[in-house]
Amino acid sequence: MPKSQVRKKKVYTPPTDVRPTTTTATRKPSPVWLPATAVALIVAGIGWLVVYYLSEQEYPVASWGYWNLAVGFGAMVSSLVLLSRWR
């Protein structure tokens, strides 16, 4: 019985106009202050909320009322934004 021929496939190369312009090798690593600031914001936000609840809404700033919650959660959300840019 005759043997069938083997087809040779060409190696796929993507077109040059669709290649990404930046490669992972050219991206710079994050600065040292970024993770330190993010961790500090997480700790400050949690600390703010803990003080607010344990002081029965008298501290950190009594006149702000429930805006103290916005400050605490805002600090934690901003730390997440910073951590999303960490390489």
Side-chain angles (χ1 to χ4, degrees):
M1 177 166 277
K3 198 172 189 182
S4 64
Q5 292 182 352
V6 178
R7 286 189 255 160
K8 294 182 180 180
K9 290 186 176 181
K10 293 183 179 180
V11 177
Y12 174 74
T13 55
T16 57
D17 57 341
V18 246
R19 288 186 185 170
T21 57
T22 60
T23 61
T24 57
T26 59
R27 293 171 58 181
K28 295 180 182 177
S30 299
V32 176
W33 60 266
L34 193 130
T37 305
V39 169
L41 280 172
I42 289 174
V43 170
I46 291 172
W48 190 284
L49 292 175
V50 166
V51 167
Y52 177 70
Y53 277 116
L54 290 181
S55 68
E56 296 178 355
Q57 303 168 355
E58 290 295 319
Y59 297 106
V61 182
S63 63
W64 287 359
Y66 287 112
W67 282 103
N68 283 303
L69 295 174
V71 171
F73 283 115
M76 289 189 288
V77 167
S78 62
S79 71
L80 290 175
V81 170
L82 280 177
L83 286 175
S84 70
R85 302 192 181 274
W86 187 25
R87 284 187 219 118

